[in-house]
Amino acid sequence: MKKITLFFSLMFLTLNFAFGQEVAKVKIYDESANPTVDIAKAVKKASLEKKNILIEIGGNWCPWCILFDKLTKENAEIKDYLANNYEVVHVNYSPKNKNEKTLADLKHPERFGFPVFLILDDKGNLVHTQNSAYLESKETKGHDPKLVLEFLQNWSYKALDPTTYFKN
């Protein structure tokens, strides 16, 4: 356990230096939140609004998680698409609270690193797990807005509705 704590501490310090002091200030993930309750609320709302659920798993220690959150709040097209098509739930992963039961129930997405994204349908069924590395920009630090929007569009409620596939 000491090795894991030391690893996260060193990673945090290294990445904090590399990505700037903003990492220490951001509080996207609530270590005390109950993800089972948060996901259940999102499923209930999504089923009423015909949306899917985007689960973002990461931590406040993770610069890539912070960069993704910043993109989803500052890029108007992505922000609007999320608001109109998804219920979003942030699930914390940190030394203080790894949410191990929730991650086990979600088939251990942490194996892909952080952040990792999951799409649940409006009934709460896991339909996709996305390794965020495939959404990173080759030109700039962070995620590529075009790839992120494409990912969101491809896994939206409407995209997964087979009645929309063969419209004449």
Side-chain angles (χ1 to χ4, degrees):
M1 184 66 182
K2 288 182 184 180
K3 287 181 183 179
I4 291 172
T5 303
L6 178 63
F7 170 76
F8 277 113
S9 297
L10 289 174
M11 184 171 52
F12 174 79
L13 290 173
T14 302
L15 294 173
N16 193 24
F17 178 74
F19 286 87
Q21 296 300 317
E22 68 187 68
V23 173
K25 298 175 192 171
V26 176
K27 298 292 180 207
I28 301 161
Y29 297 89
D30 182 355
E31 289 183 335
S32 64
N34 182 335
T36 303
V37 171
D38 294 344
I39 292 168
K41 286 180 187 176
V43 168
K44 185 175 182 180
K45 190 170 180 189
S47 68
L48 294 172
E49 298 179 10
K50 300 214 180 291
K51 293 181 177 182
N52 280 346
I53 298 98
L54 171 66
I55 299 178
E56 298 177 28
I57 303 172
N60 298 318
W61 53 268
C62 169
W64 288 98
C65 302
I66 293 165
L67 288 170
F68 185 82
D69 186 70
K70 184 176 179 181
L71 174 67
T72 63
K73 289 182 173 136
E74 293 179 0
N75 181 298
E77 191 174 13
I78 292 172
K79 181 180 178 180
D80 290 344
Y81 196 84
L82 274 171
N84 293 321
N85 293 279
Y86 288 93
E87 290 302 316
V88 178
V89 177
H90 291 90
V91 174
N92 179 72
Y93 182 91
S94 66
K96 185 175 177 182
N97 185 356
K98 295 180 183 177
N99 285 306
E100 292 171 307
K101 182 184 178 328
T102 299
L103 296 182
D105 292 344
L106 296 169
K107 303 184 185 342
H108 294 285
E110 70 274 21
R111 68 188 184 274
F112 296 109
F114 301 100
V116 61
F117 310 117
L118 289 85
I119 304 295
L120 306 184
D121 66 16
D122 64 328
K123 294 171 186 51
N125 300 311
L126 177 64
V127 295
H128 182 68
T129 300
Q130 179 68 44
N131 180 335
S132 69
Y134 297 121
L135 303 176
E136 291 175 10
S137 172
K138 290 179 176 42
E139 288 86 37
T140 62
K141 179 174 70 172
H143 298 89
D144 183 318
K146 183 177 181 261
L147 294 175
V148 170
L149 186 60
E150 192 175 277
F151 157 67
L152 294 170
Q153 291 169 336
N154 286 334
W155 293 100
S156 70
Y157 182 91
K158 291 173 189 163
L160 297 178
D161 179 1
T163 63
T164 65
Y165 298 166
F166 303 106
K167 294 240 178 194
N168 290 332

